[in-house]
Amino acid sequence: MNRMSGVIRVIDHLWTEHTSVIVAARDEIVFIPYIGPSLCEADEYEGFRIDPTFFARGVVGGGLDIEVTPALIPLPSQGWTGTPGLEASRNGAVLPLDLRLTETSWDKEIDETFLVLTDSSHQVSVEIVLSLKESNVLTIDATVKNLSDGTLDITSAQVNLPVGDSAAEVLTLGGRHAMEAVRQRTPWGRSRIAIENRTGRTSHEQLGVVFAGTSGFTEQTGEVWGVHFAWSGNFSIMCDGVTETRKTVQLGELLQANEVIVPANESYAIPRVIVSHSPNGLSGCSQNFHEYARSRQPHIQRPVVLNTWEAVYFNHDLETLTSLATTAAEVGIERFVLDDGWFNGRRNDTAGLGDWYVDESVWPEGLSPIISHVRSLGMDFGLWFEPEMVNPNSELFRTHPEWALDGALTNPILGRNQLVLDLSRADVRDYLFQRIDALLSEYEIAYVKWDHNRPLIGGASHQQTLGFYALLDQLNEKHPQVQFESCASGGGRIDLGVADRVNRFWASDSIDALDRLEIQKGLSTFIPIEMLGSHIGSPTCHTTGRKHALSFRATTALFGWLGVEWNLLTLTEKDKDRLRQAIDFYKENREFLHSETFVRIDHPDESIDIRGVYSGMGSHALFAVTRLHSGPSNHSAPLRFPMMKDAGELEVEVIHLGAPRWALHRELPQWITDSPSVMSGSMLANVGLPMPSLLPESSFLIQFSQVVY
Ligand code: GLA
């Protein structure tokens, strides 16, 4: 007997103008041999034939006598020597699973392929929906079904995707509290690059996204594949280069033993995997993710927020907060958010979490006086919660210690003095729903800042995350007018799974403008900028102690959902005027900034950062140019705007949100004048604007508008 590699057959060609995805099978083992540039033009599509011989690489010595292609759910029984895609047991016995394609259907209208893989002898199947969206992203939803009368214990369920074998580097995002989403590049050779998150929330340390690209890929150059795991709990992402020399990315939940036990005839859904491809660098990949996220929610106008946290911390006092609201309205704030400190016993961070009743010792007449005042000034009102947490020093914990994970231990590990409530329990979710619902029903609350300030330990992430989603879904359904922000100590729960349920992310607890540029740059690789809460803080940053001019703070915050987190009662009239001007500028431009194309632009000097938004072929654009730190030369390379190349004649204007911060100039480059000048798009793209010398940690804006004759 000699088992040979079977013939490859193409199951489907998912196609958009920019991207093609091929779904194929060999011996009824399903794999995706290609995710890359579109293979045909629209008018050729109907007659276009994919030749499967392109995907058969042959068999070489030193291994098996069949060619092993990395299956969507790769299994050892099929020759796969990498990490298995599905590991499950029944009655303590590990199942030697062998899944083969048993059913296929298509929906050409929405470019979707539906597959069923079955192992009938072990009574397990996997249903997979592959969908190529208009945003050019591929989504993969896989569900493992237990077809037997007994339970199925799943210890690992992962989806495996080959990205292009030309990928030679991987960019990941991670960091720490108050310095999240820092980019890191790793060469991708034979060693595995593995990301594991065991913190029970998306985490500050590792975001669930990887970008694999050709050697030296930049924002505008190189071929890049972005792969994201849309989930807010534990996960594992592996970039592997070992098997048959194909480059694959494998993703799934990181499950603990006994975490997923599927009852008879029920199923386990692997969270969604989202893949974006760009032939033109990282920014192109990001733009697909942005379009996908935007397509999931109605477009909303995002009001300018005043958050009370860094203004007053826990010192809630009606008189102060009333004056703060009055000043906020004067400078143009549209939403007043009362942060931590309003509920029973919460005078500092050691007590009160769980007791979601307005503290009458601080708010004797409840929240009505402040809310009425805020609303009378034309603003709406937002409120802070941290629903999943409990302080041991709270009425809730005293009454229900059994509701806390680890609550029964004599010496549990606390995080910020708190424990985590067990959200897999319906009674816990019911209590939280009832309390939050009561407050949202009693008061006119437009916005909830939903925090989560400690990691989980010891597993339980799967049920906990589902419990969190269920609670949030229930609240969204009952209060569709309320907007939610995902906070998690800033930056700790940012992913496109929770993005379906919230309107905003608090990007980081650091509002240091310099660090924020790095953090927002990282996050903007897969999250649309309008979802990133971005605040103008006080002149000296509370988390870093660094001082920054208003123009720098405001320009950085402009490319996000703008807010202010600063005790406005300390401002001079001149400060207030400048802040008002910056806020007015955001309001004038927000519709454009929040619906058009965001891009990060390459510059050879790494101390210069260029990012901005443009529409269409560059007919209108707004870019921020920043000098991050002192650069190596007086005349840095010109600023080139490649997207302007066919934009014709453009009016170019320099804008400062505050005082200009030019450095060492006895004479500025001639294009910088007090009035707009007209320039050609092709010159802007190919020659570029001479870069003026700027003080470090300063920025200015350039606005382009097409001249219509
Ligand atoms: C977290 C948040 C902050 C603030 C505090 C309140 O750290 O990220 O913005 O809400 O909690 O305790």
Side-chain angles (χ1 to χ4, degrees), residues 458-631:
S461 148
H462 174 70
Q463 291 298 343
Q464 189 70 13
T465 307
L466 291 181
F468 158 61
Y469 284 169
L471 177 60
L472 194 47
D473 288 346
Q474 202 185 354
L475 286 162
N476 262 313
E477 198 177 328
K478 175 89 189 279
H479 299 279
Q481 79 291 354
V482 174
Q483 295 173 2
F484 288 88
E485 175 181 70
S486 171
C487 177
S489 305
R493 189 149 61 188
I494 300 187
D495 58 79
L496 292 176
V498 74
D500 280 347
R501 301 165 166 93
V502 299
N503 308 88
R504 190 184 205 247
F505 293 109
W506 180 225
S508 175
D509 266 359
S510 174
I511 40 182
D512 176 305
L514 185 66
D515 287 348
R516 265 304 182 110
L517 279 173
E518 176 70 22
I519 295 165
Q520 290 168 204
K521 184 172 194 164
L523 293 173
S524 74
T525 58
F526 72 118
I527 303 287
I529 57 166
E530 66 274 14
M531 290 194 82
L532 299 174
S534 187
H535 292 180
I536 301 173
S538 44
T540 303
C541 173
H542 290 200
T543 47
T544 62
R546 207 156 25 202
K547 289 188 190 331
H548 284 134
L550 176 64
S551 61
F552 185 45
R553 279 142 56 219
T555 308
T556 301
L558 183 69
F559 293 88
W561 178 334
L562 184 71
V564 174
E565 195 159 336
W566 180 7
N567 187 350
L568 299 180
L569 301 174
T570 62
L571 267 60
T572 61
E573 285 308 313
K574 193 168 151 208
D575 286 341
K576 279 198 239 172
D577 279 347
R578 287 204 161 146
L579 180 59
R580 189 183 307 108
Q581 281 161 23
I583 290 173
D584 285 347
F585 186 79
Y586 165 82
K587 289 180 182 168
E588 282 158 27
N589 289 281
R590 88 177 125 196
E591 185 53 36
F592 166 74
L593 290 169
H594 294 176
S595 49
E596 298 295 345
T597 309
F598 176 75
V599 66
R600 302 168 300 266
I601 298 190
D602 290 330
H603 191 277
D605 180 345
E606 48 89 34
S607 65
I608 292 174
D609 179 279
I610 315 166
R611 64 185 73 182
V613 176
Y614 66 96
S615 54
M617 306 288 282
S619 53
H620 187 77
L622 185 65
F623 288 100
V625 179
T626 304
R627 175 161 293 287
L628 302 167
H629 48 85
S630 299

Side-chain angles (χ1 to χ4, degrees), residues 8 10 21-25 31-35 55 57 70 162-163 246:
I8 295 177
V10 171
V21 176
I22 309 289
V23 188
F31 66 109
I32 298 187
Y34 181 84
I35 304 173
F55 310 125
R57 295 185 176 182
V163 293
R246 289 190 197 233

Side-chain angles (χ1 to χ4, degrees), residues 191-374:
S191 316
R192 164 182 292 183
I193 300 167
I195 297 175
E196 285 194 352
N197 168 38
R198 294 173 192 266
T199 66
R201 53 182 178 181
T202 320
S203 95
H204 294 100
E205 291 77 12
Q206 304 280 4
L207 284 166
V209 66
V210 294
F211 295 93
T214 46
S215 184
F217 72 87
T218 69
E219 292 294 351
Q220 271 76 51
T221 67
E223 189 169 8
V224 186
W225 291 261
V227 190
H228 173 53
F229 195 56
W231 176 246
S232 314
N234 290 349
F235 57 79
S236 147
I237 304 181
M238 292 177 294
C239 303
D240 241 328
V242 277
T243 314
E244 301 276 319
T245 67
R246 289 190 197 233
K247 296 274 172 64
T248 64
V249 179
Q250 189 162 317
L251 315 88
E253 263 192 273
L254 211 159
L255 299 173
Q256 310 284 314
N258 300 326
E259 220 186 330
V260 174
I261 297 179
V262 184
N265 300 311
E266 291 196 14
S267 57
Y268 161 75
I270 301 177
R272 176 168 280 191
V273 171
I274 307 174
V275 191
S276 160
H277 167 267
S278 158
N280 305 314
L282 182 61
S283 267
C285 234
S286 306
Q287 286 159 6
N288 296 338
F289 279 126
H290 296 171
E291 214 180 310
Y292 167 80
R294 285 177 175 175
S295 73
R296 312 273 304 167
Q297 283 192 5
H299 179 71
I300 51 168
Q301 177 164 297
R302 296 167 193 262
V304 186
V305 168
L306 182 284
N307 187 280
T308 60
W309 181 240
E310 289 198 2
V312 299
Y313 291 102
F314 288 107
N315 304 321
H316 287 200
D317 155 69
L318 180 58
E319 204 182 320
T320 309
L321 288 165
T322 303
S323 316
L324 190 60
T326 307
T327 313
E330 279 166 26
V331 297
I333 300 289
E334 298 163 309
R335 169 169 293 167
F336 185 88
V337 180
L338 186 64
D339 209 285
D340 196 357
W342 56 268
F343 48 95
N344 273 354
R346 190 69 168 173
R347 305 284 30 91
N348 52 49
D349 69 7
T350 63
L353 287 176
D355 297 341
W356 302 110
Y357 297 87
V358 179
D359 191 336
E360 287 178 9
S361 70
V362 187
W363 298 95
E365 293 169 62
L367 297 178
S368 295
I370 187 72
I371 295 180
S372 311
H373 180 66
V374 163

Side-chain angles (χ1 to χ4, degrees), residues 28 34 106 109 189-190 230 252 422 426 434 480 517 626 631 635:
E28 303 311 311
Y34 181 84
W106 300 269
E109 278 298 294
R190 277 202 301 271
D422 182 354
Q434 181 259 319
L517 279 173
T626 304
H635 288 126

